[in-house]
Amino acid sequence: MASDLDATDRRILGVLQKDGRITNADLSERVNLSPSACHRRVQLLEEAGYIDGYVALLNTRRMGKPTTVFVEITLQSQAEDLLDAFEREVAKVPDILECHLMAGTADYLIKIMAEDTEDFARIHRQHLSRLPGVRQMQSSFALRTVVKTTALAV
């Protein structure tokens, strides 16, 4: 639990969230620990599951996928087998970055990055329209991103 973290663990996590490639020497300096103590703490945080992994965050514009689309999906029913089938199939769609089971009017909220509206139309035609049990879909295109971070408040 987050309550088990002390101030030093929180500082380590805060720095690593913003720079996952920082060297242990630089990290230990930033959080005022010896390199060996810092390394030991990072290992313990990894083992305890506070750190899921390390990734490179790609620039969506440079990768040719600047268009953010949010798709609200409502299923025909809430039957467990239909939810399972939908989730199995949606996980296979390479263009989907996130899929969340929701409370509210829609059952699922999906985030997709596309090249443009034509590319989204392709994704819709080839993948989204074939998902099992879909009763309704509503797509919204983001005009611009106001806040975007992967860093949790620690």
Side-chain angles (χ1 to χ4, degrees):
M1 296 300 261
S3 58
D4 296 338
L5 297 172
D6 66 14
T8 302
D9 288 335
R10 290 177 187 279
R11 283 196 313 271
I12 289 170
L13 292 172
V15 172
L16 285 175
Q17 283 188 106
K18 292 182 174 105
D19 184 4
R21 293 185 60 173
I22 192 170
T23 66
N24 185 62
D26 289 342
L27 177 60
S28 66
E29 205 171 287
R30 295 260 309 265
V31 299
N32 299 317
L33 285 177
S34 70
S36 61
C38 184
H39 181 69
R40 192 169 43 256
R41 281 196 181 234
V42 170
Q43 283 182 316
L44 290 172
L45 289 166
E46 290 171 346
E47 290 167 9
Y50 288 101
I51 299 171
D52 278 340
Y54 300 89
V55 299
L57 300 174
L58 305 183
N59 182 301
T60 57
R61 290 198 181 285
R62 297 285 295 183
M63 295 303 297
K65 303 269 186 175
T67 306
T68 305
V69 186
F70 295 96
V71 183
E72 292 179 329
I73 295 181
T74 304
L75 299 182
Q76 294 166 352
S77 80
Q78 296 286 312
E80 194 71 27
D81 58 336
L82 183 57
L83 295 173
D84 290 343
F86 177 85
E87 291 177 10
R88 257 192 321 275
E89 292 305 309
V90 82
K92 296 177 186 176
V93 180
D95 300 287
I96 294 176
L97 294 182
E98 298 176 23
C99 178
H100 304 271
L101 178 62
M102 305 295 290
T105 55
D107 294 316
Y108 290 92
L109 179 65
I110 292 174
K111 179 181 178 183
I112 294 173
M113 297 304 296
E115 294 171 18
D116 50 28
T117 56
E118 286 181 26
D119 187 39
F120 177 70
R122 174 197 60 80
I123 295 165
H124 185 278
R125 197 172 44 257
Q126 291 179 357
H127 300 289
L128 300 180
S129 65
R130 298 177 184 182
L131 292 170
V134 174
R135 183 179 78 214
Q136 182 179 355
M137 247 187 277
Q138 181 170 328
S139 304
S140 299
F141 287 76
L143 298 177
R144 74 182 156 98
T145 301
V146 177
V147 175
K148 180 179 181 180
T149 183
T150 59
L152 296 175
V154 292

